[in-house]
Amino acid sequence: MKKILKKLVDVEWKELLKTGLEKRFNFSFEAQGARIRKFLITPVAEQFSWLNFFGIVICLLFVILLITGLSLALYYKPIADDAHLSIKYIMNSIPSGWLIRSIHHWASTLLFIFVFLHFWRIYFTGAYKYPRELLWFIGLANLALVFLFGFTGYLLPWSNNSYWSTQIMTSEIKDIPLIGDYIMLFIRGGEGVGSGTLTRFFVSHIVILPGLFLAITGIHIWMIFRQGLTKWKSVSPKNYRYSVSVMLLDINILIFVLFALLISLSVFIPAGLGDIADPLRMPAKIIPAWFMMPIYNLYKFFPREIFIFNRGTLFAMSSSVIILLLVLLPFLDRNEQYNPLKRSVIAVIGIAGLVLLLFLISYGTGR
Amino acid sequence: MRGLGIKALIILILILAIKTGSASAGIYSCTICHSNINSQYSKSVHSEIGTTCTECHGGDPSDLTFSAMSRAKGYKGKISRASIPLLCAKCHSDVKMMLQYREYVDEYAIYRDSEHGKKLRQGDYKVAVCTDCHNTHDIKKASDPNSPAYKLNVPKTCARCHSDKKYMEQYKIPTNQFEKYKESVHGRHVLEQGDMRAPACPDCHGTHGATPPGVKDIHNVCGRCHSVQRENLLRSPHFEAMKNKKIKECAVCHGSHGVQEATIALFTSEKAENGGKGCLGCHKASSVEYGVALELVKTIKEADDAVNIATRLTQKAREKGFDTDEEMNKINIAKTILLEIGPVTHSLSPDIVKENAENVIINAVDVQDMVKAKLVEWRDRRVTLVINILVFLIVIVLLAVKRRRMMKNGSKDMDKQ
């Protein structure tokens, strides 16, 4: 026995692993090491500024949401009778459950903020132009997915406010001509918001949407690597010094900053829960999640009827026009310049849109 | 010329009568001239069940001439105030007739014995008769919100006469009841909140048998709603004393029309805002009775303070994001017992009051302990946060230093390449 042990100790494991891998997989540590070292000192892009970090922050927040979300899913019960109680259990009985839920809550809030910032950065720096049209379309799809994440996640605590705002938001869909009824039934999983809706929203929130988001974001990142970053202002030679290794270090710093921010927010303003959903008690003030306010307010601003069009038709038409304009933006903006200061029309439209968006978010939230 | 005018008038009446008659089953002459009354009457409950003008006024509406309104045809004309109650009673005291509408038949009998009815029999026609509260032609069910007899409208209906100083002059009764009632706890509930449970005038004075409650009946009248207060009053030393000295029971401390929510200030004051008296209004400050009052105040205050502290702490924990449902349940239990102390004080027994107060304090202290534990956790969270943030800051600074070095070395590497 001693002899066997001595033999085992005498074996040079490191060498054995190295040669073993080299023989079997044609894998050379030296060659790979040299390749990685070369990659790490490669300049990231000709032009890299802090504005380019918005996308990275979104990815980091998504990873945080994925980890905290999966932790919450271990205890969450997506049934109308148990959903609210299970969240209460997470908040009160699971060690650090309140912290995980609050981090999830604040990470989703920050995600929306950074998605908006990322969108407007792309818009103002003309990053949607040739040859990045496809990247723009995929980004728009990601934007839609983020909204769906928020919409489905808001109902899951099954609080009275989330229940009634989902009830109202889904009944708005009903007003869309011809197909409105079918879409509403499909989303609700029945005539009213109930256990069927909750199960659908839960599955969408933790399986379908994350899967789609990961796939689309993967393609999005691959495209960025292939096409590089947009050069929207004159290049400074300093930027050539910004290597991959420094960027990875910056991402590390960013992770610590994000965690410090998320934990501080969670401690000082923990995620609330509100009263349990009660289909017989409509709250005096129903306020949807802040990121859904633009859609909610846009719908409300339309009169009940203009000529033969009802509010739903008007909303569907205006939303379609906005979406179509966004999709066609790379083809509508023929200006070859990237700098927003040299694209006054687009810049003015963008600022007006930004002001409108902020107005639609803030309008009525103080009720 | 005059004859021509009369002929023309008769022709016009005939044309109108035929026109009106064609719309209904037969000719109905009353509405030709009294169309304004008809428009009121058509909205009444009597019109709904098919009662016609003749039931009250007599006459013959099928006759298109003025003889329709002749004594020979039973025409009574405008009904005198003195006859109104009896006229209404003709139907409303008829058991067979009222049975189909599930209406009471004792209104007239009760009215006769009311203050209004008694005075009417004595020849005072200024007192309220049926039409004063129910309207004349546009009579609606008392359950109809448009009826002056509807519970929420009754105070204003009574006030039409009882707030009129000139009208009430000869009766030598006060006219400020409505003003007081409007500001009272009962009045605010009825007139401002539309609370059908709170009492309006008839709940204490009766409806058709309107009469002021007698001195010894007050505890029974108030006790119809405030039964626990009454029970405790009956076993208190106050009850016997009030009975013997003919003191107005509940009204002495709480007032009558201007009754307000009772607070513990009543124990230590001489006069109350509601028009009633505080303990010092009857008892001397040096008396044993006032000592009991002070003891009650002390006990109630202790319980109240404990609940207030528990509520304040719970609110604090709630603001920090803690779930406080369990604490709120306990506070509600404590508040319910505290609420029960009010009625119990009518017994004037410090022991009974103390027993209730102790239950309040036990619940409140429980809540305080539960919340304090949560607030300690909140403090621990902040301490942990500060340590975490410090660690993060150190790591960030170290990474920043490393980054600076890398930028320098990276530049050299790139230059070499």
Side-chain angles (χ1 to χ4, degrees), chain B residues 70-111:
Chain B
S70 66
R71 296 282 167 203
K73 295 210 169 179
Y75 181 67
K76 294 174 199 162
K78 191 178 176 184
I79 314 296
S80 68
R81 286 180 68 80
S83 317
I84 287 172
L86 201 59
L87 179 73
C88 297
K90 194 179 79 182
C91 297
H92 283 275
S93 293
D94 185 332
V95 178
K96 213 171 176 185
M97 191 183 274
M98 287 300 118
L99 186 70
Q100 55 188 321
Y101 308 115
R102 286 193 170 190
E103 287 289 339
Y104 294 110
V105 287
D106 56 354
E107 287 102 335
Y108 180 64
I110 296 171
Y111 175 79

Short mmCIF file of all heavy atoms in Angstrom, two decimals, chain B residues 70-111:
data_model
loop_
_atom_site.label_atom_id
_atom_site.label_comp_id
_atom_site.label_asym_id
_atom_site.label_seq_id
_atom_site.Cartn_x
_atom_site.Cartn_y
_atom_site.Cartn_z
N SER B 70 -118.28 69.21 -9.22
CA SER B 70 -119.42 69.61 -8.39
C SER B 70 -119.54 68.71 -7.17
O SER B 70 -119.06 67.57 -7.18
CB SER B 70 -120.71 69.55 -9.22
OG SER B 70 -120.97 68.20 -9.56
N ARG B 71 -120.14 69.23 -6.11
CA ARG B 71 -120.35 68.46 -4.87
C ARG B 71 -121.18 67.21 -5.18
O ARG B 71 -120.98 66.16 -4.56
CB ARG B 71 -121.08 69.30 -3.82
CG ARG B 71 -120.30 70.51 -3.35
CD ARG B 71 -119.22 70.11 -2.36
NE ARG B 71 -118.28 71.22 -2.16
CZ ARG B 71 -117.04 71.08 -1.73
NH1 ARG B 71 -116.57 69.89 -1.47
NH2 ARG B 71 -116.27 72.13 -1.57
N ALA B 72 -122.10 67.37 -6.16
CA ALA B 72 -122.97 66.25 -6.51
C ALA B 72 -122.17 65.05 -6.99
O ALA B 72 -122.55 63.90 -6.80
CB ALA B 72 -123.95 66.68 -7.60
N LYS B 73 -121.03 65.35 -7.60
CA LYS B 73 -120.20 64.26 -8.12
C LYS B 73 -119.10 63.88 -7.12
O LYS B 73 -118.09 63.26 -7.49
CB LYS B 73 -119.62 64.65 -9.46
CG LYS B 73 -120.71 64.82 -10.52
CD LYS B 73 -120.25 64.50 -11.90
CE LYS B 73 -121.47 64.44 -12.83
NZ LYS B 73 -121.13 64.16 -14.19
N GLY B 74 -119.26 64.31 -5.87
CA GLY B 74 -118.33 63.91 -4.80
C GLY B 74 -117.03 64.68 -4.79
O GLY B 74 -116.05 64.26 -4.17
N TYR B 75 -116.98 65.79 -5.50
CA TYR B 75 -115.74 66.56 -5.57
C TYR B 75 -115.42 67.20 -4.22
O TYR B 75 -116.28 67.84 -3.62
CB TYR B 75 -115.86 67.62 -6.67
CG TYR B 75 -114.62 68.45 -6.83
CD1 TYR B 75 -113.44 67.85 -7.31
CD2 TYR B 75 -114.60 69.80 -6.50
CE1 TYR B 75 -112.29 68.60 -7.45
CE2 TYR B 75 -113.46 70.55 -6.64
CZ TYR B 75 -112.30 69.94 -7.12
OH TYR B 75 -111.16 70.70 -7.24
N LYS B 76 -114.19 67.00 -3.72
CA LYS B 76 -113.82 67.53 -2.40
C LYS B 76 -112.95 68.78 -2.52
O LYS B 76 -112.74 69.48 -1.54
CB LYS B 76 -113.04 66.48 -1.61
CG LYS B 76 -113.85 65.27 -1.25
CD LYS B 76 -112.92 64.24 -0.60
CE LYS B 76 -113.54 62.88 -0.63
NZ LYS B 76 -112.55 61.82 -0.42
N GLY B 77 -112.40 69.02 -3.68
CA GLY B 77 -111.51 70.17 -3.86
C GLY B 77 -110.20 69.98 -3.13
O GLY B 77 -109.76 68.84 -2.90
N LYS B 78 -109.56 71.10 -2.79
CA LYS B 78 -108.28 71.04 -2.09
C LYS B 78 -108.51 70.51 -0.68
O LYS B 78 -109.41 70.99 0.02
CB LYS B 78 -107.64 72.44 -2.05
CG LYS B 78 -106.22 72.41 -1.58
CD LYS B 78 -105.61 73.79 -1.59
CE LYS B 78 -104.20 73.70 -1.02
NZ LYS B 78 -103.59 75.01 -0.91
N ILE B 79 -107.72 69.56 -0.28
CA ILE B 79 -107.92 68.93 1.03
C ILE B 79 -107.34 69.83 2.12
O ILE B 79 -106.19 70.27 2.01
CB ILE B 79 -107.24 67.54 1.09
CG1 ILE B 79 -107.54 66.73 -0.18
CG2 ILE B 79 -107.62 66.78 2.36
CD1 ILE B 79 -108.99 66.38 -0.39
N SER B 80 -108.13 70.06 3.15
CA SER B 80 -107.63 70.91 4.25
C SER B 80 -106.57 70.15 5.03
O SER B 80 -106.58 68.91 5.07
CB SER B 80 -108.78 71.29 5.19
OG SER B 80 -109.23 70.13 5.86
N ARG B 81 -105.65 70.87 5.67
CA ARG B 81 -104.56 70.23 6.43
C ARG B 81 -105.12 69.33 7.51
O ARG B 81 -104.60 68.26 7.77
CB ARG B 81 -103.67 71.30 7.07
CG ARG B 81 -102.76 71.98 6.05
CD ARG B 81 -101.89 73.03 6.73
NE ARG B 81 -100.92 72.45 7.63
CZ ARG B 81 -99.78 71.90 7.24
NH1 ARG B 81 -99.48 71.88 5.95
NH2 ARG B 81 -98.94 71.39 8.12
N ALA B 82 -106.21 69.76 8.10
CA ALA B 82 -106.79 68.98 9.20
C ALA B 82 -107.26 67.60 8.70
O ALA B 82 -107.22 66.61 9.45
CB ALA B 82 -107.95 69.73 9.81
N SER B 83 -107.70 67.54 7.43
CA SER B 83 -108.27 66.28 6.91
C SER B 83 -107.22 65.35 6.31
O SER B 83 -107.51 64.19 6.02
CB SER B 83 -109.30 66.58 5.82
OG SER B 83 -110.10 67.65 6.19
N ILE B 84 -106.03 65.87 6.06
CA ILE B 84 -105.03 65.07 5.34
C ILE B 84 -104.72 63.73 6.02
O ILE B 84 -104.81 62.69 5.37
CB ILE B 84 -103.74 65.91 5.08
CG1 ILE B 84 -104.03 66.95 3.99
CG2 ILE B 84 -102.58 65.01 4.63
CD1 ILE B 84 -102.93 67.96 3.76
N PRO B 85 -104.40 63.71 7.33
CA PRO B 85 -104.05 62.42 7.93
C PRO B 85 -105.17 61.38 7.78
O PRO B 85 -104.90 60.22 7.45
CB PRO B 85 -103.81 62.76 9.40
CG PRO B 85 -103.41 64.18 9.39
CD PRO B 85 -104.24 64.80 8.32
N LEU B 86 -106.40 61.82 7.99
CA LEU B 86 -107.51 60.88 7.90
C LEU B 86 -107.71 60.40 6.45
O LEU B 86 -108.01 59.22 6.20
CB LEU B 86 -108.78 61.55 8.43
CG LEU B 86 -109.89 60.61 8.87
CD1 LEU B 86 -109.41 59.69 9.99
CD2 LEU B 86 -111.10 61.42 9.38
N LEU B 87 -107.54 61.34 5.52
CA LEU B 87 -107.70 60.99 4.11
C LEU B 87 -106.65 59.93 3.71
O LEU B 87 -106.98 58.93 3.06
CB LEU B 87 -107.53 62.24 3.24
CG LEU B 87 -107.65 62.02 1.75
CD1 LEU B 87 -109.09 61.78 1.35
CD2 LEU B 87 -107.09 63.20 0.98
N CYS B 88 -105.39 60.15 4.11
CA CYS B 88 -104.33 59.18 3.78
C CYS B 88 -104.63 57.84 4.45
O CYS B 88 -104.42 56.77 3.88
CB CYS B 88 -102.97 59.68 4.23
SG CYS B 88 -102.45 61.18 3.40
N ALA B 89 -105.15 57.94 5.70
CA ALA B 89 -105.41 56.73 6.48
C ALA B 89 -106.50 55.87 5.84
O ALA B 89 -106.56 54.66 6.09
CB ALA B 89 -105.80 57.10 7.90
N LYS B 90 -107.35 56.52 5.02
CA LYS B 90 -108.43 55.77 4.37
C LYS B 90 -107.86 54.53 3.66
O LYS B 90 -108.40 53.44 3.73
CB LYS B 90 -109.14 56.69 3.36
CG LYS B 90 -110.47 56.15 2.89
CD LYS B 90 -111.13 57.10 1.92
CE LYS B 90 -110.49 56.94 0.54
NZ LYS B 90 -111.02 57.84 -0.47
N CYS B 91 -106.75 54.73 3.00
CA CYS B 91 -106.08 53.58 2.34
C CYS B 91 -104.99 52.97 3.23
O CYS B 91 -104.88 51.76 3.33
CB CYS B 91 -105.46 54.01 1.02
SG CYS B 91 -106.66 54.59 -0.17
N HIS B 92 -104.20 53.87 3.86
CA HIS B 92 -103.01 53.39 4.57
C HIS B 92 -103.32 52.69 5.89
O HIS B 92 -102.41 52.14 6.51
CB HIS B 92 -102.01 54.54 4.76
CG HIS B 92 -101.26 54.84 3.50
ND1 HIS B 92 -100.13 54.17 3.13
CD2 HIS B 92 -101.53 55.70 2.49
CE1 HIS B 92 -99.71 54.62 1.97
NE2 HIS B 92 -100.55 55.56 1.54
N SER B 93 -104.59 52.72 6.31
CA SER B 93 -104.96 51.94 7.49
C SER B 93 -105.79 50.74 7.10
O SER B 93 -106.28 50.00 7.95
CB SER B 93 -105.76 52.81 8.47
OG SER B 93 -104.92 53.82 8.98
N ASP B 94 -105.96 50.55 5.79
CA ASP B 94 -106.76 49.43 5.29
C ASP B 94 -105.85 48.21 5.12
O ASP B 94 -105.04 48.14 4.20
CB ASP B 94 -107.38 49.85 3.95
CG ASP B 94 -108.33 48.79 3.41
OD1 ASP B 94 -108.13 47.59 3.73
OD2 ASP B 94 -109.26 49.16 2.66
N VAL B 95 -106.00 47.26 6.03
CA VAL B 95 -105.11 46.09 6.05
C VAL B 95 -105.14 45.36 4.71
O VAL B 95 -104.08 45.00 4.15
CB VAL B 95 -105.51 45.11 7.19
CG1 VAL B 95 -104.64 43.88 7.18
CG2 VAL B 95 -105.44 45.80 8.52
N LYS B 96 -106.32 45.16 4.19
CA LYS B 96 -106.47 44.39 2.95
C LYS B 96 -105.75 45.08 1.78
O LYS B 96 -105.05 44.45 1.00
CB LYS B 96 -107.95 44.24 2.63
CG LYS B 96 -108.28 42.94 1.94
CD LYS B 96 -109.77 42.78 1.86
CE LYS B 96 -110.09 41.52 1.09
NZ LYS B 96 -111.53 41.38 0.89
N MET B 97 -105.93 46.40 1.75
CA MET B 97 -105.33 47.15 0.65
C MET B 97 -103.80 47.21 0.77
O MET B 97 -103.08 47.04 -0.21
CB MET B 97 -105.91 48.57 0.62
CG MET B 97 -105.54 49.32 -0.64
SD MET B 97 -106.15 50.96 -0.62
CE MET B 97 -107.79 50.71 -1.24
N MET B 98 -103.32 47.44 1.98
CA MET B 98 -101.87 47.62 2.17
C MET B 98 -101.09 46.30 2.12
O MET B 98 -99.89 46.30 1.86
CB MET B 98 -101.58 48.30 3.52
CG MET B 98 -101.93 49.77 3.54
SD MET B 98 -101.00 50.70 2.31
CE MET B 98 -102.30 51.31 1.27
N LEU B 99 -101.83 45.20 2.34
CA LEU B 99 -101.19 43.89 2.34
C LEU B 99 -100.45 43.63 1.03
O LEU B 99 -99.33 43.12 1.01
CB LEU B 99 -102.25 42.81 2.59
CG LEU B 99 -101.73 41.40 2.77
CD1 LEU B 99 -101.00 41.27 4.10
CD2 LEU B 99 -102.86 40.38 2.71
N GLN B 100 -101.11 44.03 -0.08
CA GLN B 100 -100.50 43.77 -1.39
C GLN B 100 -99.20 44.56 -1.61
O GLN B 100 -98.38 44.19 -2.44
CB GLN B 100 -101.50 44.08 -2.51
CG GLN B 100 -102.06 45.48 -2.44
CD GLN B 100 -103.19 45.69 -3.42
OE1 GLN B 100 -103.14 45.20 -4.54
NE2 GLN B 100 -104.20 46.44 -3.00
N TYR B 101 -99.06 45.68 -0.89
CA TYR B 101 -97.83 46.47 -1.05
C TYR B 101 -96.85 46.26 0.11
O TYR B 101 -95.82 46.93 0.19
CB TYR B 101 -98.17 47.97 -1.15
CG TYR B 101 -99.20 48.25 -2.20
CD1 TYR B 101 -100.45 48.74 -1.86
CD2 TYR B 101 -98.92 47.99 -3.54
CE1 TYR B 101 -101.41 48.98 -2.82
CE2 TYR B 101 -99.88 48.23 -4.51
CZ TYR B 101 -101.13 48.71 -4.15
OH TYR B 101 -102.07 48.94 -5.10
N ARG B 102 -97.17 45.37 0.98
CA ARG B 102 -96.36 45.07 2.17
C ARG B 102 -96.08 46.35 2.97
O ARG B 102 -94.93 46.62 3.36
CB ARG B 102 -95.04 44.42 1.77
CG ARG B 102 -95.21 43.01 1.33
CD ARG B 102 -93.88 42.35 1.25
NE ARG B 102 -94.02 40.93 1.07
CZ ARG B 102 -93.03 40.08 1.15
NH1 ARG B 102 -91.83 40.52 1.43
NH2 ARG B 102 -93.21 38.80 0.97
N GLU B 103 -97.10 47.16 3.10
CA GLU B 103 -96.94 48.42 3.85
C GLU B 103 -97.54 48.26 5.24
O GLU B 103 -98.47 47.47 5.44
CB GLU B 103 -97.65 49.55 3.10
CG GLU B 103 -96.95 50.01 1.84
CD GLU B 103 -95.68 50.77 2.10
OE1 GLU B 103 -95.51 51.29 3.22
OE2 GLU B 103 -94.82 50.83 1.18
N TYR B 104 -97.02 49.06 6.20
CA TYR B 104 -97.61 49.06 7.54
C TYR B 104 -98.98 49.74 7.50
O TYR B 104 -99.25 50.54 6.59
CB TYR B 104 -96.72 49.83 8.52
CG TYR B 104 -95.38 49.17 8.75
CD1 TYR B 104 -94.21 49.74 8.27
CD2 TYR B 104 -95.31 47.98 9.46
CE1 TYR B 104 -92.99 49.12 8.49
CE2 TYR B 104 -94.08 47.37 9.68
CZ TYR B 104 -92.93 47.94 9.19
OH TYR B 104 -91.73 47.35 9.40
N VAL B 105 -99.81 49.45 8.49
CA VAL B 105 -101.13 50.09 8.52
C VAL B 105 -101.36 50.88 9.82
O VAL B 105 -102.45 51.35 10.07
CB VAL B 105 -102.27 49.04 8.35
CG1 VAL B 105 -102.34 48.54 6.93
CG2 VAL B 105 -102.11 47.91 9.35
N ASP B 106 -100.28 51.01 10.61
CA ASP B 106 -100.47 51.65 11.92
C ASP B 106 -99.98 53.10 11.96
O ASP B 106 -99.92 53.72 13.00
CB ASP B 106 -99.76 50.83 13.01
CG ASP B 106 -98.29 50.64 12.71
OD1 ASP B 106 -97.84 51.05 11.62
OD2 ASP B 106 -97.57 50.09 13.57
N GLU B 107 -99.63 53.63 10.80
CA GLU B 107 -99.07 54.99 10.79
C GLU B 107 -100.04 56.02 11.39
O GLU B 107 -99.65 56.86 12.19
CB GLU B 107 -98.72 55.45 9.36
CG GLU B 107 -97.51 54.79 8.78
CD GLU B 107 -97.91 53.70 7.81
OE1 GLU B 107 -99.03 53.16 7.96
OE2 GLU B 107 -97.11 53.37 6.93
N TYR B 108 -101.31 55.92 10.99
CA TYR B 108 -102.29 56.91 11.46
C TYR B 108 -102.47 56.79 12.97
O TYR B 108 -102.50 57.80 13.69
CB TYR B 108 -103.62 56.73 10.73
CG TYR B 108 -104.66 57.71 11.18
CD1 TYR B 108 -104.49 59.09 10.97
CD2 TYR B 108 -105.82 57.30 11.84
CE1 TYR B 108 -105.42 60.01 11.40
CE2 TYR B 108 -106.77 58.21 12.27
CZ TYR B 108 -106.56 59.57 12.05
OH TYR B 108 -107.49 60.48 12.48
N ALA B 109 -102.58 55.56 13.46
CA ALA B 109 -102.78 55.34 14.90
C ALA B 109 -101.60 55.91 15.68
O ALA B 109 -101.78 56.56 16.72
CB ALA B 109 -102.91 53.85 15.18
N ILE B 110 -100.39 55.68 15.16
CA ILE B 110 -99.20 56.20 15.84
C ILE B 110 -99.16 57.72 15.75
O ILE B 110 -98.87 58.41 16.72
CB ILE B 110 -97.91 55.57 15.22
CG1 ILE B 110 -97.91 54.06 15.47
CG2 ILE B 110 -96.66 56.21 15.80
CD1 ILE B 110 -96.81 53.31 14.74
N TYR B 111 -99.50 58.22 14.56
CA TYR B 111 -99.48 59.68 14.34
C TYR B 111 -100.42 60.39 15.31
O TYR B 111 -100.08 61.43 15.86
CB TYR B 111 -99.85 60.00 12.89
CG TYR B 111 -99.97 61.47 12.61
CD1 TYR B 111 -98.83 62.25 12.42
CD2 TYR B 111 -101.22 62.10 12.59
CE1 TYR B 111 -98.94 63.61 12.20
CE2 TYR B 111 -101.34 63.46 12.37
CZ TYR B 111 -100.19 64.22 12.17
OH TYR B 111 -100.29 65.58 11.97
#
